[in-house]
């Protein structure tokens, strides 16, 4: 049962524009959310996280927004760069948990 | 600091065999987690160890097992391999585990079962 869903398998964006990656979750016990980026032949790399006590967290070009009532989060990348082309995974866990529940990923392609 | 090291990178096994995968965490990290990545299911949690104790286990059959040594290095074992076990197995470490310590992943071991 997929508790974290990324409904867009792929996304293509022009360099310099905004990339918006979306994620929905079903488990109301989740209160910690993360985004990971994965290049081919490498393991996922931690990008940014957000706790359920916040609705926004920024780190440079990356911003994560959390809408608890809609059980929805999104990752904004501004401006997008070709090096951002990768698969992005959304993950969630309960605050006391040690296991992350991952979405199936969204493949982002940033074109020059 | 060296990253998470997984060996071997690639492995080909036959149905019915068993396999052992190894993971060396980042120095100082005491929590090691294992995940299975397949095209159909994405990344799925297998188990998590801290100070040689399994703290959490995912929904996988008993053929999947693991252990952690006193130096925090970890191994996972899959017995009686099935074709469906073909996957990328990812190990991740963190300082304490839990939500205050983001996971640092290795590059994985690609297991192919024929």
């Amino acid at each position: 049962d997929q508790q974290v869903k990324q409904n867009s398998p792929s996304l293509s964006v022009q360099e310099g524009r905004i990339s918006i990656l979306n994620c929905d979750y079903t488990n109301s016990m989740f209160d910690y959310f993360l985004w990971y980026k994965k290049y081919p032949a490498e393991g996922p790399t931690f990008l940014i996280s957000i706790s359920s006590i916040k609705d926004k967290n920024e780190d440079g070009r990356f911003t994560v927004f959390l809408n608890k009532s809609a059980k929805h989060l999104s990752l904004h990348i501004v401006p997008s760069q070709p090096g951002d082309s990768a698969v992005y995974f959304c993950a969630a866990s309960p605050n006391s948990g040690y296991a992350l529940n991952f979405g199936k990923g969204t493949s982002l392609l940033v074109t020059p | 600091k060296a990253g998470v090291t997984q060996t071997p990178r690639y492995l080909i096994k036959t149905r019915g065999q068993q396999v052992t995968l190894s993971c060396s965490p980042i120095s100082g990290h005491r929590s090691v987690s294992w995940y299975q990545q397949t095209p159909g299911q994405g990344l799925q949690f297998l188990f998590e160890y801290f100070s040689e104790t399994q703290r959490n286990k995912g929904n996988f059959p008993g053929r999947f097992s693991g252990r952690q040594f006193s130096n925090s290095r970890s191994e996972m074992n899959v017995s009686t391999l099935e074709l469906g076990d073909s996957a990328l197995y990812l190990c991740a470490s963190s300082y304490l585990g839990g939500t205050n310590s983001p996971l640092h992943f290795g590059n994985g071991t690609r297991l192919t079962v024929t």
Side-chain angles (χ1 to χ4, degrees):
Chain A
D1 179 31
Q2 199 75 21
Q3 299 182 72
V4 177
K5 297 177 184 177
Q6 294 177 256
N7 292 320
S8 298
S10 63
L11 176 67
S12 183
V13 170
Q14 274 192 316
E15 181 178 6
R17 301 282 188 120
I18 183 171
S19 294
I20 300 176
L21 295 94
N22 293 304
C23 178
D24 297 294
Y25 61 96
T26 58
N27 190 335
S28 57
M29 298 298 290
F30 290 156
D31 50 17
Y32 184 64
F33 306 89
L34 309 90
W35 285 93
Y36 281 82
K37 178 170 75 172
K38 186 180 187 300
Y39 294 117
E42 293 184 13
T45 303
F46 170 71
L47 205 50
I48 192 168
S49 64
I50 188 167
S51 162
S52 61
I53 62 173
K54 294 184 172 182
D55 54 20
K56 177 182 172 181
N57 189 25
E58 279 183 85
D59 184 0
R61 298 186 296 113
F62 302 91
T63 303
V64 56
F65 295 92
L66 176 62
N67 182 334
K68 290 183 288 293
S69 60
K71 292 192 177 69
H72 176 85
L73 64 155
S74 60
L75 175 69
H76 292 210
I77 306 173
V78 184
S80 301
Q81 299 173 355
D84 295 329
S85 298
V87 178
Y88 289 78
F89 290 96
C90 171
S93 83
N95 202 30
S96 58
Y98 299 104
L100 290 179
N101 293 267
F102 282 87
K104 293 187 179 182
T106 296
S107 179
L108 173 65
L109 177 64
V110 180
T111 57
Chain B
K1 241 185 195 179
V4 177
T5 304
Q6 291 188 246
T7 55
R9 285 297 308 271
Y10 302 94
L11 209 46
I12 300 175
K13 289 286 187 179
T14 305
R15 261 185 312 176
Q17 288 186 313
Q18 75 160 15
V19 67
T20 299
L21 312 181
S22 181
C23 173
S24 293
I26 291 172
S27 178
H29 284 191
R30 296 167 63 188
S31 168
V32 173
S33 301
W34 288 88
Y35 287 80
Q36 181 196 64
Q37 185 183 12
T38 59
Q41 297 299 321
L43 277 142
Q44 292 189 290
F45 172 74
L46 280 155
F47 24 66
E48 188 258 356
Y49 288 88
F50 182 84
S51 292
E52 302 178 67
T53 300
Q54 186 182 90
R55 287 195 297 197
N56 207 345
K57 189 177 191 306
N59 190 24
F60 278 81
R63 300 184 297 106
F64 291 82
S65 63
R67 59 178 175 167
Q68 186 181 33
F69 302 96
S70 58
N71 61 358
S72 294
R73 194 176 68 84
S74 177
E75 289 180 347
M76 69 163 278
N77 186 276
V78 188
S79 62
T80 320
L81 283 165
E82 301 177 359
L83 294 178
D85 298 332
S86 294
L88 179 67
Y89 290 88
L90 291 160
C91 169
S93 75
S94 67
Y95 180 59
L96 290 175
T99 53
N100 290 321
S101 304
L103 299 179
H104 298 264
F105 283 87
N107 289 335
T109 293
R110 171 74 61 185
L111 172 65
T112 302
V113 182
T114 62

